[in-house]
């Protein structure tokens, strides 16, 4: 672990050196994330200008759920964004052959080759939104609550990572599964809203099939008294770990099925 931590630091340092050579691109990337997230929040505020609540959920309650979703997505975006490129950047081009020749875990190398600076803007927005919503809801935070929040955010990020890795692995058979990953990830937008506003079919899919419900809604339920779903909230870290194990084992299965571009 010490060796991999040192190597990751070297990868990240070199990546940021490259980014700083193009500072305007760096700035535009961060600002673009601000624009995207503010657009989503602006749309939400417009909706609540015309309604008092959404199936019994107030504006700041949904904003709190948004905040957890933003933070979890930021964890994935900063450190694991390169998973999106497995098909077209590594398998199709033959770069995976280069990685497999090194005495390092190939997945670690793919992940470490890119740190996505845009995610820091998302992290800042998520923290700000969560702080604003909790203040408006009159929440009081104990040290235990803060610790649980950190665990929930980390678990949320792990689920995003697991889903990304699982569907990106299909690139071993499809060459590029990016359209599939995009389609699946679009479902994560549903998890930014209370799951109770959806049909039982959608709730089932987002809970037991593609567990995006555990990236925002269920973790938020830990902090909302009287809303129910407490057991689902407490299960979030276990769902995250199970999802990662399944995704990684599927990745290893795909790796064994990989046929080199030189074969």
């Amino acid at each position: 672990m010490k060796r991999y931590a040192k190597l990751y630091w070297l990868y990240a340092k070199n990546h940021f050196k490259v980014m700083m050579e193009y500072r305007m691109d760096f700035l535009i990337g961060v600002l673009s994330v601000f624009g995207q997230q503010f657009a989503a929040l602006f749309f939400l505020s417009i909706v609540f200008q015309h309604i008092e609540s959404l199936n019994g959920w107030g504006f700041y309650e949904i904003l709190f759920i948004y905040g957890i979703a933003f933070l979890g997505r930021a964890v994935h975006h900063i450190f694991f964004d390169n998973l999106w490129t497995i098909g077209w950047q590594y398998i199709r081009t033959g770069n995976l052959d280069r990685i497999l020749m090194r005495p390092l875990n190939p997945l670690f190398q793919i992940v470490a080759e890119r740190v996505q600076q845009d995610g820091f803007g998302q992290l800042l927005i998520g923290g700000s939104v969560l702080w604003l919503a909790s203040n408006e809801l009159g929440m009081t935070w104990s040290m235990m609550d803060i610790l649980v929040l950190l665990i929930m955010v980390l678990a949320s990020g792990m689920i995003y990572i697991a889903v990304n890795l699982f569907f990106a692995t299909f690139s071993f058979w499809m060459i590029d599964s990016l359209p599939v990953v995009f389609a699946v990830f679009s479902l994560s937008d549903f998890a930014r809203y209370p799951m109770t506003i959806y049909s039982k079919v959608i709730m089932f899919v987002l809970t037991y099939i593609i567990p995006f419900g555990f990236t925002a809604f269920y973790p938020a339920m830990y902090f909302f008294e009287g809303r129910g779903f407490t057991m689902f909230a407490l299960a979030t870290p276990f769902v995250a770990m199970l999802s990662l194990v399944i995704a990684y084992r599927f990745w290893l299965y795909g790796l064994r099925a990989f046929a080199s571009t030189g074969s």
Side-chain angles (χ1 to χ4, degrees), residues 30-117:
V30 173
L31 292 178
S32 67
V33 171
F34 275 96
Q36 292 172 5
Q37 306 308 328
F38 276 121
L41 296 174
F42 178 73
F43 172 76
L44 183 64
S45 66
I46 292 296
V47 169
F48 273 89
Q49 286 178 10
H50 296 84
I51 59 174
E52 292 185 4
S53 65
L54 183 62
N55 197 26
W57 296 87
F59 174 70
Y60 289 105
E61 288 177 315
I62 297 180
L63 202 63
F64 188 89
I65 299 172
Y66 258 71
I68 293 180
F70 285 166
L71 289 173
R73 189 68 179 268
V75 172
H76 162 264
H77 194 50
I78 293 171
F79 301 107
F80 292 86
D81 195 63
N82 213 27
L83 293 176
W84 291 89
T85 70
I86 287 175
W88 61 269
Q89 184 168 310
Y90 292 92
I91 296 177
R92 178 184 292 178
T93 63
N95 278 327
L96 188 60
D97 296 312
R98 167 180 59 86
I99 284 177
L100 291 174
M101 292 175 65
R102 297 172 178 170
L104 287 172
N105 184 297
L107 183 59
F108 167 82
Q109 294 179 68
I110 292 173
V111 168
E113 283 190 344
R114 183 179 182 184
V115 177
Q116 184 56 276
Q117 73 279 1

Side-chain angles (χ1 to χ4, degrees), residues 140-205:
T140 56
W141 294 88
S142 64
M143 289 301 296
M144 178 59 69
D145 289 332
I146 294 173
L147 178 60
V148 170
L149 177 64
L150 292 175
I151 293 173
M152 293 297 188
V153 168
L154 182 60
S156 173
M158 290 167 62
I159 292 172
Y160 281 119
I161 294 162
V163 172
N164 195 343
L165 177 61
F166 184 89
F167 286 96
T169 299
F170 281 102
S171 291
F172 286 114
W173 298 277
M174 301 172 59
I175 304 302
D176 187 2
S177 64
L178 188 60
V180 176
V181 180
F182 267 122
V184 171
F185 253 70
S186 66
L187 296 175
S188 66
D189 291 340
F190 286 92
R192 296 179 181 179
Y193 295 91
M195 299 274 283
T196 54
I197 70 174
Y198 303 125
S199 67
K200 292 182 178 180
V201 173
I202 294 178
M203 285 190 67
F204 180 84
V205 170

